[in-house]
């Protein structure tokens, strides 16, 4: 968990310093005041990338050439990030240059819940895969090795297909795709079973009107369940050669949860879809606690009030209080401050890039 955060020349924020609580941190302000920029800074420090912009030069405050971010965890581990338009990005973790981005992710397990998270069902398989792969990265530490090895083999095979290499040369990579792809699939299926068992009672609390509903996992492995991955790769060689890439495998997997064996997307309102996604993220926090005793998870929630009525906002706040998570929540609704216990939680106000703690 973070005990200190400093920003300089980051979007519309010239300079800001926060000393957040270990629990709920509510960030209030009007649209365009800089609330989401605080979440973006936290995301950059934990993931090494922005959720708003692919090009970091767009984040630098106008008339400046660089921005800096610095944070310190409750264990006193420092993380510093500097981006200069000319020299690029530099990241230091625990006073040493960062070797790989995965080290950042291990240091601070962080999830981001956007204002449009109710679009979980519309954002596509890649978005849903990334969600559970985040959980497995932290729970199953061998998962990242298998996933990275699989991706490298897939890149090599796709390059061979695109360049019209011989079948023998192209299919050389199948052995790696099959070996690591099956392990990835086993990890995902086991993790999804855990996720639904933790998610269901949690969602019932978040959305009492659906407390009688039962949830089941629908998982598409990325290839026909009637055949093995080896058979599918062999059968689809000609098609893949024509299109120039390999379509089947865990890189094409998808999943969702069904409610009473019906489509959740069709049954849930927009507000209920937001609670659905919030519940999934909270369930992953609980799994991390149960499986690895991880208590330093950070949860970023942008615009909590969007799509949720007052009673459901209260329920979300109360549920977060009982989880081992440090949360940063933005909203334009100043009435949310009345829900914050100022002894253990904090309220920050942002106005035109300036931050004030209540």
């Amino acid at each position: 968990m973070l005990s200190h955060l400093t920003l300089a020349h980051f979007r519309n924020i010239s300079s800001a310093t926060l000393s957040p609580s270990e629990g709920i941190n509510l960030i209030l302000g009007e649209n365009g005041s800089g609330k989401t920029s605080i979440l973006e800074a936290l995301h950059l420090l934990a993931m090494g990338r922005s959720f708003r912009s692919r090009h970091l030069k767009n984040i630098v405050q106008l008339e400046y050439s660089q921005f800096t971010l610095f944070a310190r965890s409750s264990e006193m581990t420092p993380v510093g990030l500097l981006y200069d338009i000319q020299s690029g990005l530099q990241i230091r973790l625990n006073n040493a240059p960062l070797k790989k981005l995965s080290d950042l992710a291990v240091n601070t397990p962080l999830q981001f819940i956007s204002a449009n998270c109710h679009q979980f069902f519309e954002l596509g398989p890649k978005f849903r895969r990334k969600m559970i792969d985040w959980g497995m990265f932290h729970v199953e530490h061998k998962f990242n090795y298998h996933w990275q090895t699989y991706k490298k083999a897939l890149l090599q095979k796709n390059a061979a297909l695109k360049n019209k290499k011989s079948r023998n040369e192209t299919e050389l990579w199948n052995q790696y795709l099959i070996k690591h792809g099956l392990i990835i699939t086993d990890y995902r299926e086991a993790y999804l079973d855990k996720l639904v068992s933790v998610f269901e009672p949690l969602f019932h609390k978040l959305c009492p009107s659906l407390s009688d509903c039962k949830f089941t996992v629908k998982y598409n492995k990325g290839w026909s369940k009637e055949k093995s991955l080896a058979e599918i790769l062999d059968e689809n060689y000609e098609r893949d050669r024509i299109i120039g890439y390999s379509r089947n495998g865990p890189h094409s997997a998808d999943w969702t949860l069904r409610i009473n064996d019906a489509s959740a997307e069709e049954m849930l309102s927009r507000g209920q879809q937001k609670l659905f996604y919030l519940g999934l993220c909270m369930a992953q926090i609980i799994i991390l606690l149960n499986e690895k005793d991880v208590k330093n998870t950070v949860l970023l929630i942008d615009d909590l009030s969007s799509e949720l009525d007052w009673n459901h906002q209260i329920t979300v706040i109360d549920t977060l209080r009982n989880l081992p998570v440090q949360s940063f929540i933005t909203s334009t609704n100043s009435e949310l401050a009345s829900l914050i216990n100022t002894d253990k939680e904090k309220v920050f106000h942002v106005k035109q890039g300036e931050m004030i703690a209540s």
Side-chain angles (χ1 to χ4, degrees):
M1 295 184 179
L2 301 176
S3 60
H4 177 87
L5 173 67
T6 300
L7 306 83
H9 309 309
F10 190 87
R11 293 202 182 269
N12 68 330
I13 300 175
S14 296
S15 178
T17 299
L18 288 79
S19 296
S21 77
E22 292 189 353
I24 294 172
N25 297 278
L26 180 63
I27 304 171
L28 298 173
E30 297 179 356
N31 291 329
S33 62
K35 304 184 304 299
T36 303
S37 296
I38 302 297
L39 303 190
E40 184 181 18
L42 291 164
H43 192 277
L44 258 169
L45 283 165
M47 309 292 283
R49 62 179 184 271
S50 166
F51 57 74
R52 298 171 72 184
S53 178
R54 291 185 178 181
H55 304 291
L56 295 183
K57 65 180 181 181
N58 297 330
I59 299 175
V60 180
Q61 190 175 25
L62 292 177
E63 300 182 3
Y64 288 87
S65 61
Q66 65 180 35
F67 68 78
T68 57
L69 303 173
F70 177 80
R72 194 181 298 277
S73 70
S74 52
E75 293 81 21
M76 302 307 291
T77 302
V79 181
L81 187 151
L82 182 148
Y83 175 79
D84 185 279
I85 291 175
Q86 298 298 325
S87 57
L89 179 65
Q90 300 176 51
I91 305 175
R92 295 181 68 86
L93 174 62
N94 204 13
N95 298 316
L98 186 73
K99 295 181 179 179
K100 50 186 179 179
L101 287 179
S102 59
D103 291 340
L104 273 183
V106 170
N107 183 63
T108 307
L110 177 144
Q111 295 183 91
F112 170 62
I113 299 177
S114 67
N116 66 343
C117 68
H118 58 273
Q119 295 178 338
F120 170 82
F121 302 99
E122 304 167 21
L123 292 175
K126 183 178 180 180
F127 176 81
R128 292 185 285 273
R129 285 194 304 272
K130 284 178 65 176
M131 183 181 192
I132 58 166
D133 287 353
W134 178 92
M136 285 183 296
F137 172 83
H138 291 285
V139 172
E140 298 285 354
H141 290 305
K142 291 183 180 180
F143 171 80
N144 194 47
Y145 161 73
H146 291 293
W147 179 238
Q148 294 301 328
T149 305
Y150 178 90
K151 285 204 301 183
K152 289 176 183 177
L154 183 63
L155 284 172
Q156 293 291 340
K157 181 178 179 181
N158 286 345
L161 287 166
K162 185 176 181 180
N163 294 317
K164 309 300 182 184
K165 299 292 185 181
S166 69
R167 180 162 187 164
N168 286 341
E169 188 174 349
T170 301
E171 293 189 331
L172 173 67
W173 301 103
N174 284 0
Q175 60 183 311
Y176 303 102
L177 296 177
I178 294 165
K179 176 184 176 181
H180 298 283
L182 293 177
I183 293 172
I184 291 166
T185 299
D186 288 343
Y187 277 149
R188 284 176 172 167
E189 289 179 331
Y191 185 81
L192 282 169
D193 286 341
K194 293 176 189 175
L195 185 64
V196 70
S197 66
V198 176
F199 166 81
E200 185 171 276
L202 193 56
F203 182 77
H204 291 164
K205 293 179 182 178
L206 291 171
C207 193
S209 63
L210 295 175
S211 59
D212 294 331
C213 292
K214 296 295 181 182
F215 290 85
T216 53
V217 176
K218 182 180 180 182
Y219 181 61
N220 177 349
K221 298 185 294 184
W223 71 92
S224 171
K225 61 183 179 180
E226 306 298 329
K227 296 182 179 180
S228 69
L229 180 55
E231 290 174 313
I232 290 293
L233 292 178
D234 180 65
E235 289 179 6
N236 291 329
Y237 169 77
E238 287 297 333
R239 181 205 63 187
D240 292 347
R241 189 181 63 83
I242 293 170
I243 63 177
Y245 63 93
S246 185
R247 286 183 57 181
N248 296 108
H251 61 285
S252 298
D254 195 10
W255 69 278
T256 190
L257 298 182
R258 294 179 65 81
I259 303 177
N260 295 338
D261 203 31
S263 168
E265 180 181 9
E266 296 177 3
M267 285 189 63
L268 301 179
S269 67
R270 287 168 66 94
Q272 289 170 337
Q273 288 181 21
K274 183 166 185 173
L275 292 171
F276 179 94
Y277 188 76
L278 280 162
L280 288 172
C281 291
M282 292 178 182
Q284 296 208 99
I285 292 167
I286 295 172
I287 291 172
L288 263 178
L289 175 68
N290 293 342
E291 298 280 326
K292 297 294 180 180
D293 198 32
V294 173
K295 300 177 182 177
N296 67 330
T297 304
V298 175
L299 185 63
L300 311 179
I301 304 177
D302 193 23
D303 197 1
L304 175 64
S305 303
S306 172
E307 307 295 344
L308 297 182
D309 60 31
W310 180 248
N311 287 333
H312 282 111
Q313 292 176 63
I314 294 173
T315 302
V316 170
I317 296 290
D318 287 341
T319 304
L320 286 171
R321 285 196 177 104
N322 295 315
L323 295 178
V325 62
Q326 182 180 39
S327 56
F328 294 83
I329 303 168
T330 68
S331 180
T332 57
N333 182 8
S334 59
E335 293 181 6
L336 276 176
S338 65
L339 305 179
I340 300 303
N341 180 344
T342 53
D343 292 334
K344 299 179 181 179
E345 302 157 357
K346 290 189 176 182
V347 178
F348 299 91
H349 296 271
V350 185
K351 187 174 182 179
Q352 296 179 346
E354 300 288 332
M355 177 159 289
I356 303 170
S358 296

